[in-house]
Amino acid sequence: MDASPEPIRSARLTLEPLRVDHAEAMAGVLGDPELYRYIGGIPPSVDALAARYRRQINGPRTDQMRWFNWIMVNHETGNTPVGFVQATLERGTDRYWSAHLAWVVGINYQGHRFASEASAAVMAWLSEHGIVRFDAHIGKENVASIRTAAALGMVWNGGLD
């Protein structure tokens, strides 16, 4: 997979390739402790998020793995960030790439199908670049995300415990 993340537009969202300067706005989106009920962790500070974004932007880019990350921005409400979607691309022994998708939508924006819309847009973009297999890493108690993955035709791999 030789492509780099590009902006992707859907009905309500613009998926912006991750930038370090997204950290300030995203710290607010990711600031509710309830958001970490299924994924673990605590709300990150702006500095911690900026450091994480630097790592995510820079690597890995090997012959076997790529990281692609986008910020979900609602262009219907003045470009409000609502969450993120990421794809970890891995090349299998058969030389085909597969994508492991993950998404997080801020507590105040849940229930509006942003994860479904963003993930479908990412899957379409990745499909155009030759990706044929998709799955999702989701905690077994996160019923909403399991349903999102199933509706998109993804395989739920049992994910996080």
Side-chain angles (χ1 to χ4, degrees):
M1 172 79 184
D2 293 326
S4 294
E6 298 172 353
I8 302 170
R9 193 165 170 96
S10 65
R12 298 174 296 163
L13 300 173
T14 300
L15 303 179
E16 298 179 355
L18 184 64
R19 300 185 315 263
V20 173
D21 68 350
H22 283 124
E24 189 168 343
M26 288 302 294
V29 174
L30 303 174
D32 190 321
E34 179 63 18
L35 191 60
Y36 302 88
R37 172 179 38 174
Y38 300 122
I39 60 176
I42 60 172
S45 68
V46 172
D47 290 340
L49 208 47
R52 178 189 311 165
Y53 288 174
R54 278 187 203 89
R55 287 189 306 276
Q56 289 176 325
I57 291 166
N58 289 326
R61 288 195 62 83
T62 69
D63 290 342
Q64 304 302 317
M65 184 177 285
R66 305 272 192 282
W67 288 349
F68 286 11
N69 296 276
W70 292 268
I71 299 299
M72 300 177 201
V73 176
N74 185 342
H75 55 248
E76 291 188 326
T77 61
N79 295 323
T80 305
V82 298
F84 66 85
V85 61
Q86 58 190 58
T88 299
L89 306 181
E90 291 184 307
R91 186 189 316 235
T93 55
D94 57 5
R95 304 198 36 87
Y96 288 101
W97 289 87
S98 45
H100 310 288
L101 293 174
W103 51 83
V104 173
V105 175
I107 292 290
N108 294 333
Y109 307 106
Q110 292 179 4
H112 299 282
R113 301 187 49 82
F114 289 132
S116 296
E117 185 174 329
S119 296
V122 166
M123 289 172 70
W125 185 83
L126 289 170
S127 293
E128 290 172 7
H129 291 85
I131 306 301
V132 296
R133 292 183 296 232
F134 297 92
D135 68 13
H137 296 273
I138 302 168
K140 63 185 172 191
E141 295 178 3
N142 190 342
V143 175
S145 285
I146 292 169
R147 286 182 181 148
T148 295
L152 292 167
M154 282 190 257
V155 174
W156 174 55
N157 62 14
L160 310 170
D161 289 322

